[in-house]
Amino acid sequence: MTFDALYVHGAGRRETAAWPTLGHEHGEFLSFDAGSSVQEQVGVLLRTRADRRSLFFAHSIGAVPTVLAAASGALDVAGLVLVEPALYDIVRGEPPVERHISAVTEARAQAADGNLRGCWAILRTLMFGGTFDGDAWDEERPLAEYWAQTNVPWGHAVRPHLLTGIPTLVITGGWNDEYEAIAHVLAAHGARHQILVGAQHRPQDLPEFAAHVAEFTSALSH
């Protein structure tokens, strides 16, 4: 059975740069409009893939609208490849997840009060490591502005049972307790989980990523 691939990136790289180890001859890349909500992104997926059988690739927060669209029943979904999926709703209550959400909430409160530097002092350490460096502020300010207002990956009513019956491969980097907790829940509901160590939040950059995807898609084709 044939299908097209659709690649939905997370924050950061786009198009082929976001999926560097895969062949893209039969794939399409989707970039959402800046500032679009998760529900608006779901609507884009429903409109653009309504007439095609699709294998969806989604990285990080891109997994949120992808899973919601795939679970809607309105699309012909061959399967899902979720890379470090930021499906925080399915692991609420887990200590690492709650610590992350609490920190982001405080950072955004700082930004809302006009203290963007205070916001970035929290987010930079949380998401990129290291500490806030005042000498680098002018260079990093655009990143701070972006992360102070971009969509957060929780509060979207994602539930693990939404993927029941959809062949799903979850690939994580084995470096972050939050993403491993998410993968553990998805695996308990039928997903296949593979850990690829060496690229942290971007296991799709590793050469072996393509081999695992090929094995998964081969099974879908029979």
Side-chain angles (χ1 to χ4, degrees), residues 36-42 60-69 71 86-90 92 101 108 150-162:
S36 60
S37 69
V38 167
Q39 284 305 315
E40 288 170 336
Q41 293 169 3
V42 172
S60 194
I61 195 171
V64 177
T66 301
V67 165
L68 292 172
L87 304 177
Y88 281 70
D89 283 339
I90 70 174
R92 290 303 304 264
I101 291 174
R108 287 185 172 239
T150 193
N151 293 325
V152 294
W154 52 84
H156 305 294
V158 177
R159 301 291 182 264
H161 72 268
L162 295 180

Side-chain angles (χ1 to χ4, degrees), residues 97-114:
V97 170
E98 295 305 319
R99 286 194 296 269
H100 180 94
I101 291 174
S102 177
V104 172
T105 300
E106 172 58 24
R108 287 185 172 239
Q110 294 282 347
D113 287 341

